[in-house]
Amino acid sequence: MRSGTSSQRLVGTLLVLNLLVATCSGESAVPLPTDSERWTYWSNDQIGEFVRQMQAKNPKHCKAYNVGQSVLGKQMWSLTVSTKPDAFPRPGVSPSSLSPSFLFIGGVHGDEPVGRQLMIYLAEELCLGAGRSDADPEIGAILAGGTVHLLFAMNPDGFDLRKRGNANDVDLNRNFPDPIKEPRFPELTGKEEPETIALMNYIDLLGNSLVGATHLHGGALVMVVPFDGNRDGTRSPNPTPDNELYLYLAKRYVEVQPEMAASTGIGADEGLFQNGIIQGSSWYPLWGGLQDFFYLKNKVYFTTVEMSDNKWPSQSTLPSLWSQHRPSMYAYMKAHLEQGLTVQVDFPPGSKEESVLVRMLNPEMGSPVEFRSKTTHSVHYPVPAGNYSLRVEWRSQEVSEGVTLAGEVRPGERTTLRAEKPSEPPTSAGGGARGGGAAAPRGEGAQSRMRRGGSGKGGVAVSAVENTSTTPGPNEPKPTMFPYVKLFSGIVIMGLPCLGYRYRSSFARGRASRSHLRSRRGLSHVV
Ligand SMILES: [Zn+2]
């Protein structure tokens, strides 16, 4: 369930959340690597010190979190970088859904350390550049559009032990409830590891703000889009209902990296990758992975990046790997934050909380999202440039109670479509309309192809369109410090009470291809 309010309820009810300061985090401070050690694989403790220092250097725009503990008690460190005060998660409080966000995850497999190390270099640039007028304009454009979260190591024990699985030898990218094998998906099975539960809770907490995510692996050079799983277990296609959107997003990562664009696979995979992209089950099927789970359960456009053919390449190659992937990582953030379509649903003052369904009407361009709210709430779609139509329905009434919105997304811009629930009882047929006449927001008319939505019996008839350039503006609100932040803030998510909890969100699997083309190839190495 992507609802911010529901996430708050889930977290608030089931989790014990504590604020920590660095001195009581259970890990002793270690010095950061020296300049000569910069291009090495940093230890988990060094990452802990790194996130503390990043927060200390730019506390208004860069905040450090501990989202959970590994089997052996290592902290799972993350950073959130934003120029918007309400975009930071707090214990039990989701970030504002009004600002989109993107999440990088490293170190799911402990013996594939490239991703987590490159995320350190990325986080350093973002944290030190956030809010600075003299920073790289690309950083300004990304953070004007939204927020970036970085969870450096989902599997810190695996890194310490230099092995794939966690300390219990469980492959965390096989440890999530699977939509095919688990008939009660997305309910927990009871077999989830602490690291898995921690990530579920973290992404639940991020709520509807989280648009996209990717986890970084090694052992090949390719962008992988879901589904990873299929029904028959052979190497066969099983794309998602949003495959066109996924292929567009994958292309944004690959097209600025000639090495990946030219990658067709090596060894048993040779010739399998198309322009550096492959759909997971067409490569080799797996069940219980991150991307299938979070795409279906949280409606996050989740992918996998395989960053190097060598799982644990020599540290001497880190500078070239960073040069190779840096443009892609920036392009991928921009694809999710700088450009896209936002549906903003407003509620009159005094509204009761109710369920709202947002449905993308363009085929393969986004999943339906249902949320509960009584205050302004947004759903974001990281779509390519084009014209779009969406349907907003208030679920507490008949399905016909809704409005159809339409608008255009232009390259490098985020378009916002607004709908407002009318007051009860409606005062007029157009009681909920906004955006007409002199109050029309920028972008209406000449810039957009707005049309009045089809109204239902309740008189919902709205739509307004706002094309928003993500170039930072001079009037951008100045962030303020949250009162809970003093030296260091953290979230400890203790997930065991969640075992057995039944997730209630629904999902659509309607148009997924179920063709089962048997492959001539056997399964290749697992990355
Ligand atoms: Zn891997």
Side-chain angles (χ1 to χ4, degrees):
M1 187 175 298
R2 289 189 62 186
S3 163
T5 53
S6 296
S7 295
Q8 293 166 20
R9 187 181 309 115
L10 170 67
V11 173
T13 302
L14 297 174
L15 303 179
V16 178
L17 300 177
N18 294 310
L19 296 180
L20 296 181
V21 295
T23 52
C24 60
S25 66
E27 293 185 11
S28 57
V30 297
L32 281 183
T34 62
D35 287 346
S36 64
E37 297 167 331
R38 175 175 174 80
W39 302 104
T40 63
Y41 294 118
W42 294 14
S43 71
N44 292 312
D45 289 346
Q46 287 172 327
I47 290 177
E49 180 60 20
F50 169 73
V51 301
R52 292 182 187 97
Q53 292 201 13
M54 285 298 103
Q55 176 172 268
K57 288 181 177 178
N58 194 352
K60 290 184 179 178
H61 302 126
C62 180
K63 298 190 189 304
Y65 299 88
N66 169 21
V67 305
Q69 282 193 340
S70 68
V71 170
L72 298 181
K74 285 288 182 182
Q75 315 301 330
M76 297 168 63
W77 297 112
S78 74
L79 282 171
T80 293
V81 190
S82 184
T83 55
K84 299 170 177 59
D86 58 355
F88 294 93
R90 289 181 289 159
V93 181
S94 295
S96 169
S97 66
L98 305 185
S99 177
S101 66
F102 182 83
L103 169 65
F104 284 104
I105 300 172
V108 174
H109 290 146
D111 59 350
E112 299 166 11
V114 171
R116 63 183 245 158
Q117 189 58 38
L118 299 193
M119 282 171 59
I120 291 171
Y121 309 136
L122 175 63
E124 183 179 46
E125 291 187 357
L126 294 176
C127 282
L128 298 184
R132 292 178 60 102
S133 59
D134 58 346
D136 185 334
E138 280 207 309
I139 295 175
I142 289 166
L143 296 180
T147 299
V148 181
H149 311 283
L150 305 105
L151 175 59
F152 295 91
M154 183 186 175
N155 181 12
D157 296 343
F159 176 84
D160 284 343
L161 300 168
R162 197 163 174 164
K163 68 177 186 179
R164 179 182 182 85
N166 70 352
N168 291 331
D169 284 327
V170 174
D171 185 336
L172 299 178
N173 199 32
R174 309 290 188 276
N175 191 232
F176 289 78
D178 183 80
I180 293 173
K181 291 194 170 182
E182 301 296 338
R184 294 189 298 179
F185 177 90
E187 294 178 17
L188 299 184
T189 66
K191 298 178 182 176
E192 291 79 12
E193 294 292 304
E195 298 91 343
T196 302
I197 297 288
L199 183 59
M200 287 181 182
N201 290 330
Y202 181 50
I203 289 182
D204 277 347
L205 182 64
L206 297 181
N208 279 137
S209 70
L210 188 62
V211 177
T214 193
H215 56 136
L216 308 177
H217 289 253
L221 184 60
V222 67
M223 165 66 84
V224 188
V225 299
F227 289 115
D228 276 333
N230 60 15
R231 290 190 181 280
D232 67 2
T234 66
R235 175 182 279 186
S236 58
N238 186 21
T240 72
D242 296 316
N243 195 47
E244 186 176 342
L245 175 58
Y246 264 118
L247 293 178
Y248 153 74
L249 291 170
K251 186 180 177 185
R252 292 288 300 266
Y253 192 98
V254 173
E255 66 185 359
V256 294
Q257 185 179 147
E259 297 89 342
M260 185 176 278
S263 174
T264 58
I266 60 173
D269 301 329
E270 190 168 350
L272 198 58
F273 306 158
Q274 299 294 315
N275 300 315
I277 300 171
I278 192 158
Q279 182 260 310
S281 66
S282 295
W283 184 11
Y284 61 91
L286 66 91
W287 298 268
L290 281 73
Q291 63 181 13
D292 290 6
F293 179 84
F294 289 116
Y295 165 64
L296 289 175
K297 193 250 172 190
N298 294 73
K299 311 299 171 66
V300 174
Y301 301 99
F302 210 112
T303 58
T304 308
V305 180
E306 302 285 353
M307 305 193 89
S308 66
D309 287 327
N310 188 339
K311 289 191 178 193
W312 194 299
S314 164
Q315 295 177 140
S316 65
T317 64
L318 283 170
S320 62
L321 284 168
W322 174 230
S323 297
Q324 176 183 328
H325 282 279
R326 183 182 182 278
S328 295
M329 296 170 90
Y330 272 81
Y332 210 49
M333 290 186 286
K334 292 171 73 172
H336 290 83
L337 303 180
E338 183 188 46
Q339 177 181 311
L341 186 65
T342 295
V343 180
Q344 179 174 314
V345 182
D346 297 322
F347 295 78
S351 294
K352 295 179 181 177
E353 181 177 291
E354 63 178 301
S355 182
V356 177
L357 178 68
V358 175
R359 285 191 295 124
M360 166 65 75
L361 300 180
N362 294 52
E364 299 197 27
M365 279 295 149
S367 301
V369 174
E370 188 164 1
F371 64 86
R372 292 187 63 81
S373 186
K374 59 182 179 182
T375 57
T376 300
H377 198 95
S378 286
V379 174
H380 311 277
Y381 291 96
V383 292
N387 291 297
Y388 295 90
S389 298
L390 301 105
R391 182 83 179 157
V392 179
E393 296 170 356
W394 284 264
R395 305 295 281 176
S396 59
Q397 303 172 25
E398 296 180 14
V399 174
S400 60
E401 294 288 346
V403 60
T404 301
L405 309 175
E408 179 185 7
V409 173
R410 295 181 174 184
E413 291 186 353
R414 176 166 291 278
T415 294
T416 299
L417 306 176
R418 291 196 175 103
E420 181 174 303
K421 180 73 173 67
S423 302
E424 295 293 345
T427 55
S428 70
R434 292 185 58 188
R442 184 170 67 87
E444 182 176 355
Q447 284 198 10
S448 62
R449 298 184 180 181
M450 186 198 79
R451 64 186 172 89
R452 297 289 173 188
S455 59
K457 290 188 297 185
V460 181
V462 265
S463 73
V465 182
E466 185 174 0
N467 288 85
T468 306
S469 168
T470 53
T471 303
N475 297 324
E476 187 175 327
K478 289 185 170 56
T480 57
M481 290 284 285
F482 288 110
Y484 72 94
V485 176
K486 291 184 179 177
L487 296 176
F488 175 77
S489 65
I491 301 173
V492 171
I493 297 179
M494 300 176 68
L496 288 179
C498 264
L499 291 176
Y501 180 79
R502 295 187 171 191
Y503 287 96
R504 293 172 298 170
S505 68
S506 60
F507 61 93
R509 291 169 49 192
R511 288 179 289 108
S513 167
R514 297 297 178 191
S515 58
H516 302 298
L517 304 176
R518 291 191 175 275
S519 169
R520 290 176 287 108
R521 300 172 184 274
L523 298 187
S524 59
H525 64 293
V526 177
V527 295

